[in-house]
Amino acid sequence: MTQNKSRLKILIEILIVSTRLGLTSFGGPIAHLGYFHEEYVRKRKWMDEKSYADLVALCQFLPGPASSQVGIGIGVMRGGVLGGIVSFIGFTLPSVIALIVFALILQGLNVSDLSWIHGLKLVAVAVVAHAILGMAEKLTPDLKRKTIALLALIGTLLWQTAFSQVGVILLAGILGFLLYKDQTNNDETKYEFPISKKFAVICLSLFFALLLLLPLLRDATSNSWIAIFDSFYRSGSLVFGGGHVVLPLLEREFVPSGWISEEAFLAGYGVAQAVPGPLFTFAAYIGAVMNGWQGGLLATVAIFLPAFLLILGTLPFWNMLRQNAKIKGALMGVNAAVVGILISAFYQPIWTSTIIKPIDFAFAAVLFSMLVYWKLPPWVIVVTGALGGLLMSFL
């Protein structure tokens, strides 16, 4: 009984923390990693810097919404499979509800004043800058790893394709293996995952089975619900690089077929930028436009299911990868590359789309100081950013 109460307490804690993040995490997937770093690593110390970087590297390598997979992984480490589900629900549900409501009630509304959104983007600048400084200090302590981070930064800036991050991570792993192959493994930290390798293999098998069988079932039945599920599942399975990459893929999937008009799609795209949480929840908007709130929920499940299956299928093998001395050097290289990738994303699209005028930089510096030096709660930073964005529109 006591163990059940303790487990329930952990699940409630995960739900509360992840829901707060789901309500306040603006700025897209890279910014989300900054929010997660602040909440889970710096504040609550649920995991250390290196383990967080390892998890981020794993999720960056997998297709799907990287920030959501990181949140699911942290939830699993904290509270098992149920912890991962609860973490996902808390982080995702606020934006799903908001986008379904927009689809059903506010569809077609022309929102002309978006100045408060600009303020929230400035919040993202402060949060990501803070995360980069913390991760760089831990993960690039020597010249070799600084060089790998620099090469990753250059590579992802100049080679911007859907597969650039995967390619950079693979090359960084090779470099890390070559440069650090003689390193001894002094990291004895092990994380216990309440997931068996058998269950993990089942999840991976189910991922590939659905990817192959859903298109066949779609053609055989001509059922619209199966067709919707198949389209969103494939989108969630084949996208590398996060939410900003999935948006054009969804447009190609649904606009030419006539399931949603281009005007409705673009209106939803604007709304998706205005809500916190993962950009993949844009699927909820499209699903709701096509088939009401039921379609919104089905689309959400379909596009996030691959992320669940992949992260549950790989986490039980994480210790083996981290503890294996032969690939420890490769992980050191990958962790350094993650820093470079974060800096690259910090510049584009976060910096280039946000820091436009001197007042933007000045306000971002204030927000950064509030977060780093004054150590104010993140929700205070978010509210200040939104209000500041509104005030700046009058200057």
Side-chain angles (χ1 to χ4, degrees):
M1 181 67 71
T2 302
Q3 185 177 3
N4 290 336
K5 287 183 177 179
S6 175
R7 182 173 177 80
L8 179 61
K9 183 179 178 181
I10 290 174
L11 293 177
I12 292 174
E13 181 187 24
I14 295 172
L15 180 62
I16 292 173
V17 175
S18 61
T19 301
R20 184 166 63 245
L21 287 169
L23 290 168
T24 59
S25 294
F26 294 88
I30 302 301
H32 298 162
L33 296 178
Y35 287 108
F36 288 173
H37 180 270
E38 177 67 25
E39 185 69 31
Y40 293 129
V41 179
R42 288 181 180 270
K43 182 178 178 181
R44 298 187 178 273
K45 302 188 185 304
W46 285 2
M47 60 196 313
D48 57 37
E49 296 273 359
K50 183 179 182 301
S51 298
Y52 180 74
D54 285 347
L55 182 59
V56 170
L58 171 64
C59 295
Q60 292 280 2
F61 182 77
L62 297 174
S67 61
S68 295
Q69 287 171 315
V70 170
I72 293 168
I74 293 173
V76 170
M77 293 173 63
R78 186 71 175 173
V81 175
L82 279 179
I85 294 173
V86 167
S87 177
F88 166 76
I89 291 173
F91 182 60
T92 308
L93 191 58
S95 57
V96 168
I97 293 174
L99 288 169
I100 289 178
V101 168
F102 273 119
L104 298 180
I105 300 177
L106 303 178
Q107 186 179 352
L109 180 65
N110 182 20
V111 183
S112 58
D113 184 9
L114 299 179
S115 55
W116 60 278
I117 298 178
H118 184 68
L120 295 176
K121 289 183 178 180
L122 291 169
V123 173
V125 170
V127 171
V128 176
H130 187 208
I132 288 173
L133 290 175
M135 295 181 72
E137 181 180 358
K138 298 288 185 180
L139 303 177
T140 56
D142 55 61
L143 182 60
K144 293 178 182 178
R145 277 178 278 186
K146 285 182 172 65
T147 303
I148 292 176
L150 176 62
L151 293 175
L153 163 65
I154 295 171
T156 50
L157 274 180
L158 302 183
W159 178 36
Q160 296 190 8
T161 70
F163 300 97
S164 59
Q165 289 187 4
V166 178
V168 166
I169 287 174
L170 284 174
L171 291 174
I174 294 172
L175 278 176
F177 174 78
L178 295 174
L179 294 173
Y180 295 100
K181 59 184 178 181
D182 297 327
Q183 293 284 318
T184 56
N185 185 11
N186 297 320
D187 181 14
E188 300 298 331
T189 304
K190 287 190 177 183
Y191 289 92
E192 297 297 329
F193 301 106
I195 303 174
S196 67
K197 292 183 179 179
K198 180 179 179 180
F199 179 76
V201 171
I202 291 173
C203 288
L204 291 176
S205 300
L206 183 59
F207 167 80
F208 288 107
L210 289 173
L211 192 60
L212 294 174
L213 296 178
L214 278 174
L216 300 177
L217 187 61
R218 174 179 184 168
D219 292 336
T221 62
S222 299
N223 184 288
S224 62
W225 291 96
I226 293 177
I228 292 172
F229 194 93
D230 170 54
S231 293
F232 282 110
Y233 185 85
R234 276 189 292 107
S235 298
S237 301
L238 303 176
V239 169
F240 291 88
H244 292 294
V245 180
V246 80
L247 293 173
L249 180 63
L250 290 175
E251 182 178 18
R252 291 193 299 269
E253 188 74 31
F254 293 103
V255 174
S257 64
W259 279 2
I260 182 173
S261 68
E262 185 174 356
E263 293 78 14
F265 185 93
L266 293 175
Y269 177 83
V271 171
Q273 309 302 313
V275 298
L279 281 173
F280 267 58
T281 55
F282 181 49
Y285 171 86
I286 297 176
V289 169
M290 293 190 296
N291 280 310
W293 65 267
Q294 300 96 329
L297 293 180
L298 179 71
T300 302
V301 172
I303 202 166
F304 281 103
L305 180 58
F308 253 104
L309 294 176
L310 285 172
I311 197 67
L312 292 177
T314 53
L315 273 179
F317 301 101
W318 189 25
N319 277 328
M320 180 181 68
L321 296 175
R322 295 173 72 246
Q323 297 296 323
N324 191 320
K326 294 181 180 180
I327 61 174
K328 180 178 174 62
L331 283 176
M332 291 170 67
V334 169
N335 287 336
V338 168
V339 175
I341 291 171
L342 287 174
I343 297 174
S344 172
F346 176 69
Y347 172 71
Q348 186 174 358
I350 293 177
W351 184 279
T352 56
S353 66
T354 305
I355 306 299
I356 301 170
K357 298 177 293 186
I359 192 173
D360 295 329
F361 182 83
F363 189 45
V366 171
L367 294 173
F368 180 84
S369 299
M370 292 172 64
L371 178 65
V372 179
Y373 305 125
W374 304 343
K375 301 189 184 302
L376 297 176
W379 68 266
V380 174
I381 314 299
V382 171
V383 172
T384 303
L387 294 176
L390 285 172
L391 293 175
M392 288 165 58
S393 66
F394 297 105
L395 299 178

mmCIF file of all heavy atoms in Angstrom, residues 27-61:
data_model
loop_
_atom_site.group_PDB
_atom_site.id
_atom_site.type_symbol
_atom_site.label_atom_id
_atom_site.label_comp_id
_atom_site.label_asym_id
_atom_site.label_seq_id
_atom_site.Cartn_x
_atom_site.Cartn_y
_atom_site.Cartn_z
ATOM 1 N N GLY A 27 8.115 28.721 -27.870
ATOM 2 C CA GLY A 27 9.342 28.917 -28.625
ATOM 3 C C GLY A 27 9.808 27.771 -29.482
ATOM 4 O O GLY A 27 10.859 27.867 -30.109
ATOM 5 N N GLY A 28 9.075 26.652 -29.528
ATOM 6 C CA GLY A 28 9.469 25.564 -30.404
ATOM 7 C C GLY A 28 10.352 24.540 -29.721
ATOM 8 O O GLY A 28 10.710 24.669 -28.539
ATOM 9 N N PRO A 29 10.749 23.472 -30.460
ATOM 10 C CA PRO A 29 11.417 22.318 -29.848
ATOM 11 C C PRO A 29 12.738 22.627 -29.162
ATOM 12 O O PRO A 29 13.014 22.078 -28.096
ATOM 13 C CB PRO A 29 11.613 21.359 -31.039
ATOM 14 C CG PRO A 29 11.457 22.198 -32.266
ATOM 15 C CD PRO A 29 10.506 23.283 -31.907
ATOM 16 N N ILE A 30 13.558 23.504 -29.755
ATOM 17 C CA ILE A 30 14.840 23.802 -29.128
ATOM 18 C C ILE A 30 14.626 24.558 -27.818
ATOM 19 O O ILE A 30 15.298 24.297 -26.811
ATOM 20 C CB ILE A 30 15.730 24.614 -30.086
ATOM 21 C CG1 ILE A 30 15.953 23.835 -31.385
ATOM 22 C CG2 ILE A 30 17.055 24.931 -29.434
ATOM 23 C CD1 ILE A 30 16.599 22.489 -31.193
ATOM 24 N N ALA A 31 13.675 25.479 -27.823
ATOM 25 C CA ALA A 31 13.362 26.192 -26.585
ATOM 26 C C ALA A 31 12.829 25.234 -25.524
ATOM 27 O O ALA A 31 13.132 25.372 -24.329
ATOM 28 C CB ALA A 31 12.340 27.302 -26.854
ATOM 29 N N HIS A 32 12.045 24.229 -25.947
ATOM 30 C CA HIS A 32 11.516 23.251 -24.994
ATOM 31 C C HIS A 32 12.652 22.519 -24.280
ATOM 32 O O HIS A 32 12.575 22.266 -23.075
ATOM 33 C CB HIS A 32 10.627 22.231 -25.714
ATOM 34 C CG HIS A 32 9.420 22.842 -26.361
ATOM 35 N ND1 HIS A 32 8.706 22.206 -27.341
ATOM 36 C CD2 HIS A 32 8.811 24.029 -26.171
ATOM 37 C CE1 HIS A 32 7.710 22.980 -27.736
ATOM 38 N NE2 HIS A 32 7.751 24.091 -27.038
ATOM 39 N N LEU A 33 13.695 22.179 -25.038
ATOM 40 C CA LEU A 33 14.834 21.510 -24.409
ATOM 41 C C LEU A 33 15.471 22.407 -23.362
ATOM 42 O O LEU A 33 15.970 21.929 -22.339
ATOM 43 C CB LEU A 33 15.864 21.110 -25.471
ATOM 44 C CG LEU A 33 15.396 20.085 -26.510
ATOM 45 C CD1 LEU A 33 16.500 19.817 -27.524
ATOM 46 C CD2 LEU A 33 14.967 18.799 -25.836
ATOM 47 N N GLY A 34 15.450 23.705 -23.602
ATOM 48 C CA GLY A 34 15.945 24.650 -22.606
ATOM 49 C C GLY A 34 15.076 24.681 -21.365
ATOM 50 O O GLY A 34 15.575 24.682 -20.232
ATOM 51 N N TYR A 35 13.762 24.695 -21.565
ATOM 52 C CA TYR A 35 12.837 24.660 -20.426
ATOM 53 C C TYR A 35 13.002 23.360 -19.632
ATOM 54 O O TYR A 35 13.003 23.366 -18.392
ATOM 55 C CB TYR A 35 11.392 24.784 -20.916
ATOM 56 C CG TYR A 35 11.000 26.162 -21.385
ATOM 57 C CD1 TYR A 35 10.810 26.432 -22.733
ATOM 58 C CD2 TYR A 35 10.800 27.202 -20.477
ATOM 59 C CE1 TYR A 35 10.435 27.689 -23.179
ATOM 60 C CE2 TYR A 35 10.426 28.461 -20.911
ATOM 61 C CZ TYR A 35 10.244 28.703 -22.261
ATOM 62 O OH TYR A 35 9.879 29.943 -22.695
ATOM 63 N N PHE A 36 13.111 22.230 -20.338
ATOM 64 C CA PHE A 36 13.296 20.946 -19.666
ATOM 65 C C PHE A 36 14.587 20.941 -18.856
ATOM 66 O O PHE A 36 14.634 20.444 -17.724
ATOM 67 C CB PHE A 36 13.350 19.811 -20.699
ATOM 68 C CG PHE A 36 12.035 19.484 -21.335
ATOM 69 C CD1 PHE A 36 11.974 18.578 -22.381
ATOM 70 C CD2 PHE A 36 10.851 20.062 -20.902
ATOM 71 C CE1 PHE A 36 10.770 18.262 -22.990
ATOM 72 C CE2 PHE A 36 9.643 19.761 -21.496
ATOM 73 C CZ PHE A 36 9.604 18.848 -22.538
ATOM 74 N N HIS A 37 15.638 21.482 -19.468
ATOM 75 C CA HIS A 37 16.932 21.525 -18.785
ATOM 76 C C HIS A 37 16.822 22.323 -17.494
ATOM 77 O O HIS A 37 17.333 21.915 -16.444
ATOM 78 C CB HIS A 37 17.978 22.137 -19.722
ATOM 79 C CG HIS A 37 19.344 22.220 -19.130
ATOM 80 N ND1 HIS A 37 19.779 23.313 -18.416
ATOM 81 C CD2 HIS A 37 20.379 21.339 -19.130
ATOM 82 C CE1 HIS A 37 21.021 23.115 -18.008
ATOM 83 N NE2 HIS A 37 21.405 21.925 -18.430
ATOM 84 N N GLU A 38 16.153 23.457 -17.563
ATOM 85 C CA GLU A 38 16.003 24.298 -16.376
ATOM 86 C C GLU A 38 15.195 23.595 -15.290
ATOM 87 O O GLU A 38 15.557 23.626 -14.108
ATOM 88 C CB GLU A 38 15.319 25.614 -16.777
ATOM 89 C CG GLU A 38 15.025 26.553 -15.610
ATOM 90 C CD GLU A 38 16.286 27.101 -14.968
ATOM 91 O OE1 GLU A 38 17.327 27.165 -15.661
ATOM 92 O OE2 GLU A 38 16.232 27.453 -13.774
ATOM 93 N N GLU A 39 14.107 22.942 -15.680
ATOM 94 C CA GLU A 39 13.181 22.350 -14.706
ATOM 95 C C GLU A 39 13.686 21.016 -14.165
ATOM 96 O O GLU A 39 13.709 20.786 -12.956
ATOM 97 C CB GLU A 39 11.806 22.152 -15.348
ATOM 98 C CG GLU A 39 10.733 21.645 -14.396
ATOM 99 C CD GLU A 39 10.335 22.662 -13.355
ATOM 100 O OE1 GLU A 39 10.398 23.867 -13.652
ATOM 101 O OE2 GLU A 39 9.971 22.259 -12.229
ATOM 102 N N TYR A 40 14.101 20.125 -15.049
ATOM 103 C CA TYR A 40 14.416 18.754 -14.651
ATOM 104 C C TYR A 40 15.857 18.568 -14.195
ATOM 105 O O TYR A 40 16.126 17.732 -13.331
ATOM 106 C CB TYR A 40 14.138 17.792 -15.811
ATOM 107 C CG TYR A 40 12.679 17.675 -16.178
ATOM 108 C CD1 TYR A 40 12.260 17.829 -17.503
ATOM 109 C CD2 TYR A 40 11.714 17.413 -15.215
ATOM 110 C CE1 TYR A 40 10.924 17.719 -17.851
ATOM 111 C CE2 TYR A 40 10.371 17.300 -15.558
ATOM 112 C CZ TYR A 40 9.982 17.461 -16.874
ATOM 113 O OH TYR A 40 8.657 17.352 -17.217
ATOM 114 N N VAL A 41 16.787 19.335 -14.776
ATOM 115 C CA VAL A 41 18.204 19.157 -14.450
ATOM 116 C C VAL A 41 18.653 20.163 -13.399
ATOM 117 O O VAL A 41 19.166 19.792 -12.338
ATOM 118 C CB VAL A 41 19.074 19.287 -15.723
ATOM 119 C CG1 VAL A 41 20.553 19.129 -15.378
ATOM 120 C CG2 VAL A 41 18.661 18.245 -16.756
ATOM 121 N N ARG A 42 18.461 21.459 -13.681
ATOM 122 C CA ARG A 42 18.947 22.480 -12.760
ATOM 123 C C ARG A 42 18.125 22.553 -11.473
ATOM 124 O O ARG A 42 18.675 22.594 -10.374
ATOM 125 C CB ARG A 42 18.934 23.858 -13.445
ATOM 126 C CG ARG A 42 19.999 24.057 -14.511
ATOM 127 C CD ARG A 42 19.913 25.455 -15.096
ATOM 128 N NE ARG A 42 20.919 25.695 -16.113
ATOM 129 C CZ ARG A 42 22.121 26.178 -15.867
ATOM 130 N NH1 ARG A 42 22.481 26.472 -14.631
ATOM 131 N NH2 ARG A 42 22.971 26.372 -16.859
ATOM 132 N N LYS A 43 16.800 22.579 -11.613
ATOM 133 C CA LYS A 43 15.944 22.825 -10.464
ATOM 134 C C LYS A 43 15.662 21.564 -9.661
ATOM 135 O O LYS A 43 15.911 21.512 -8.453
ATOM 136 C CB LYS A 43 14.636 23.458 -10.924
ATOM 137 C CG LYS A 43 13.683 23.811 -9.795
ATOM 138 C CD LYS A 43 12.416 24.481 -10.352
ATOM 139 C CE LYS A 43 11.441 24.779 -9.216
ATOM 140 N NZ LYS A 43 10.196 25.401 -9.733
ATOM 141 N N ARG A 44 15.162 20.509 -10.324
ATOM 142 C CA ARG A 44 14.717 19.315 -9.611
ATOM 143 C C ARG A 44 15.782 18.226 -9.529
ATOM 144 O O ARG A 44 15.644 17.286 -8.730
ATOM 145 C CB ARG A 44 13.455 18.755 -10.265
ATOM 146 C CG ARG A 44 12.306 19.740 -10.210
ATOM 147 C CD ARG A 44 11.000 19.151 -10.688
ATOM 148 N NE ARG A 44 9.955 20.154 -10.544
ATOM 149 C CZ ARG A 44 9.255 20.349 -9.443
ATOM 150 N NH1 ARG A 44 9.479 19.587 -8.381
ATOM 151 N NH2 ARG A 44 8.336 21.289 -9.378
ATOM 152 N N LYS A 45 16.803 18.317 -10.392
ATOM 153 C CA LYS A 45 17.917 17.368 -10.385
ATOM 154 C C LYS A 45 17.423 15.925 -10.516
ATOM 155 O O LYS A 45 17.918 15.014 -9.858
ATOM 156 C CB LYS A 45 18.771 17.537 -9.119
ATOM 157 C CG LYS A 45 19.334 18.940 -8.960
ATOM 158 C CD LYS A 45 20.313 19.034 -7.821
ATOM 159 C CE LYS A 45 20.775 20.466 -7.609
ATOM 160 N NZ LYS A 45 21.366 21.069 -8.806
ATOM 161 N N TRP A 46 16.441 15.718 -11.381
ATOM 162 C CA TRP A 46 15.961 14.370 -11.669
ATOM 163 C C TRP A 46 16.989 13.592 -12.472
ATOM 164 O O TRP A 46 16.953 12.364 -12.512
ATOM 165 C CB TRP A 46 14.633 14.425 -12.434
ATOM 166 C CG TRP A 46 13.464 14.784 -11.553
ATOM 167 C CD1 TRP A 46 13.502 15.079 -10.221
ATOM 168 C CD2 TRP A 46 12.088 14.884 -11.939
ATOM 169 N NE1 TRP A 46 12.243 15.369 -9.755
ATOM 170 C CE2 TRP A 46 11.360 15.245 -10.785
ATOM 171 C CE3 TRP A 46 11.413 14.708 -13.147
ATOM 172 C CZ2 TRP A 46 9.979 15.435 -10.802
ATOM 173 C CZ3 TRP A 46 10.043 14.886 -13.171
ATOM 174 C CH2 TRP A 46 9.332 15.248 -12.010
ATOM 175 N N MET A 47 17.897 14.288 -13.148
ATOM 176 C CA MET A 47 18.991 13.647 -13.863
ATOM 177 C C MET A 47 20.143 14.646 -13.974
ATOM 178 O O MET A 47 19.944 15.846 -13.795
ATOM 179 C CB MET A 47 18.530 13.167 -15.242
ATOM 180 C CG MET A 47 18.016 14.256 -16.158
ATOM 181 S SD MET A 47 17.056 13.617 -17.578
ATOM 182 C CE MET A 47 18.108 12.309 -18.181
ATOM 183 N N ASP A 48 21.354 14.133 -14.246
ATOM 184 C CA ASP A 48 22.506 15.027 -14.331
ATOM 185 C C ASP A 48 22.673 15.555 -15.757
ATOM 186 O O ASP A 48 21.972 15.141 -16.677
ATOM 187 C CB ASP A 48 23.781 14.330 -13.850
ATOM 188 C CG ASP A 48 24.074 13.048 -14.623
ATOM 189 O OD1 ASP A 48 23.814 13.011 -15.844
ATOM 190 O OD2 ASP A 48 24.560 12.073 -14.012
ATOM 191 N N GLU A 49 23.617 16.479 -15.913
ATOM 192 C CA GLU A 49 23.830 17.139 -17.202
ATOM 193 C C GLU A 49 24.163 16.137 -18.307
ATOM 194 O O GLU A 49 23.623 16.206 -19.410
ATOM 195 C CB GLU A 49 24.972 18.165 -17.083
ATOM 196 C CG GLU A 49 24.709 19.321 -16.151
ATOM 197 C CD GLU A 49 23.991 20.467 -16.850
ATOM 198 O OE1 GLU A 49 23.724 20.340 -18.062
ATOM 199 O OE2 GLU A 49 23.708 21.466 -16.188
ATOM 200 N N LYS A 50 25.056 15.199 -18.001
ATOM 201 C CA LYS A 50 25.500 14.264 -19.021
ATOM 202 C C LYS A 50 24.368 13.341 -19.446
ATOM 203 O O LYS A 50 24.189 13.061 -20.641
ATOM 204 C CB LYS A 50 26.677 13.450 -18.512
ATOM 205 C CG LYS A 50 27.242 12.499 -19.569
ATOM 206 C CD LYS A 50 28.418 11.715 -19.040
ATOM 207 C CE LYS A 50 28.981 10.817 -20.147
ATOM 208 N NZ LYS A 50 27.963 9.876 -20.659
ATOM 209 N N SER A 51 23.603 12.855 -18.487
ATOM 210 C CA SER A 51 22.502 11.952 -18.816
ATOM 211 C C SER A 51 21.437 12.676 -19.629
ATOM 212 O O SER A 51 20.850 12.104 -20.555
ATOM 213 C CB SER A 51 21.886 11.382 -17.532
ATOM 214 O OG SER A 51 22.833 10.625 -16.823
ATOM 215 N N TYR A 52 21.206 13.936 -19.285
ATOM 216 C CA TYR A 52 20.237 14.717 -20.059
ATOM 217 C C TYR A 52 20.741 14.891 -21.491
ATOM 218 O O TYR A 52 19.977 14.736 -22.455
ATOM 219 C CB TYR A 52 20.028 16.081 -19.401
ATOM 220 C CG TYR A 52 19.036 16.962 -20.148
ATOM 221 C CD1 TYR A 52 17.673 16.712 -20.096
ATOM 222 C CD2 TYR A 52 19.481 18.041 -20.916
ATOM 223 C CE1 TYR A 52 16.773 17.514 -20.790
ATOM 224 C CE2 TYR A 52 18.593 18.843 -21.609
ATOM 225 C CZ TYR A 52 17.240 18.580 -21.535
ATOM 226 O OH TYR A 52 16.355 19.367 -22.224
ATOM 227 N N ALA A 53 22.033 15.188 -21.635
ATOM 228 C CA ALA A 53 22.593 15.357 -22.972
ATOM 229 C C ALA A 53 22.540 14.048 -23.758
ATOM 230 O O ALA A 53 22.269 14.049 -24.965
ATOM 231 C CB ALA A 53 24.031 15.854 -22.877
ATOM 232 N N ASP A 54 22.803 12.919 -23.087
ATOM 233 C CA ASP A 54 22.696 11.626 -23.754
ATOM 234 C C ASP A 54 21.275 11.389 -24.259
ATOM 235 O O ASP A 54 21.062 10.920 -25.376
ATOM 236 C CB ASP A 54 23.082 10.501 -22.795
ATOM 237 C CG ASP A 54 24.579 10.415 -22.557
ATOM 238 O OD1 ASP A 54 25.329 11.059 -23.314
ATOM 239 O OD2 ASP A 54 24.992 9.727 -21.614
ATOM 240 N N LEU A 55 20.296 11.705 -23.413
ATOM 241 C CA LEU A 55 18.897 11.512 -23.793
ATOM 242 C C LEU A 55 18.516 12.430 -24.949
ATOM 243 O O LEU A 55 17.827 12.014 -25.888
ATOM 244 C CB LEU A 55 17.991 11.769 -22.582
ATOM 245 C CG LEU A 55 16.485 11.574 -22.798
ATOM 246 C CD1 LEU A 55 16.181 10.149 -23.247
ATOM 247 C CD2 LEU A 55 15.721 11.900 -21.516
ATOM 248 N N VAL A 56 18.976 13.681 -24.899
ATOM 249 C CA VAL A 56 18.709 14.621 -25.992
ATOM 250 C C VAL A 56 19.337 14.113 -27.288
ATOM 251 O O VAL A 56 18.718 14.146 -28.360
ATOM 252 C CB VAL A 56 19.236 16.029 -25.657
ATOM 253 C CG1 VAL A 56 19.182 16.936 -26.888
ATOM 254 C CG2 VAL A 56 18.431 16.642 -24.513
ATOM 255 N N ALA A 57 20.579 13.600 -27.200
ATOM 256 C CA ALA A 57 21.248 13.077 -28.388
ATOM 257 C C ALA A 57 20.480 11.896 -28.972
ATOM 258 O O ALA A 57 20.304 11.791 -30.192
ATOM 259 C CB ALA A 57 22.674 12.662 -28.037
ATOM 260 N N LEU A 58 20.013 11.005 -28.101
ATOM 261 C CA LEU A 58 19.232 9.857 -28.566
ATOM 262 C C LEU A 58 17.965 10.314 -29.273
ATOM 263 O O LEU A 58 17.626 9.835 -30.367
ATOM 264 C CB LEU A 58 18.881 8.961 -27.373
ATOM 265 C CG LEU A 58 17.888 7.823 -27.642
ATOM 266 C CD1 LEU A 58 18.467 6.820 -28.631
ATOM 267 C CD2 LEU A 58 17.495 7.133 -26.338
ATOM 268 N N CYS A 59 17.256 11.268 -28.674
ATOM 269 C CA CYS A 59 15.988 11.732 -29.239
ATOM 270 C C CYS A 59 16.203 12.567 -30.499
ATOM 271 O O CYS A 59 15.348 12.570 -31.392
ATOM 272 C CB CYS A 59 15.204 12.527 -28.195
ATOM 273 S SG CYS A 59 14.690 11.525 -26.775
ATOM 274 N N GLN A 60 17.323 13.272 -30.601
ATOM 275 C CA GLN A 60 17.637 13.999 -31.826
ATOM 276 C C GLN A 60 17.907 13.028 -32.966
ATOM 277 O O GLN A 60 17.611 13.318 -34.129
ATOM 278 C CB GLN A 60 18.866 14.905 -31.618
ATOM 279 C CG GLN A 60 18.654 16.071 -30.685
ATOM 280 C CD GLN A 60 17.937 17.232 -31.358
ATOM 281 O OE1 GLN A 60 17.554 17.168 -32.502
ATOM 282 N NE2 GLN A 60 17.742 18.306 -30.611
ATOM 283 N N PHE A 61 18.464 11.875 -32.626
ATOM 284 C CA PHE A 61 18.782 10.881 -33.644
ATOM 285 C C PHE A 61 17.525 10.168 -34.142
ATOM 286 O O PHE A 61 17.435 9.786 -35.313
ATOM 287 C CB PHE A 61 19.775 9.865 -33.071
ATOM 288 C CG PHE A 61 20.202 8.824 -34.057
ATOM 289 C CD1 PHE A 61 21.132 9.122 -35.035
ATOM 290 C CD2 PHE A 61 19.688 7.543 -34.002
ATOM 291 C CE1 PHE A 61 21.532 8.168 -35.949
ATOM 292 C CE2 PHE A 61 20.083 6.575 -34.910
ATOM 293 C CZ PHE A 61 21.013 6.888 -35.887
#
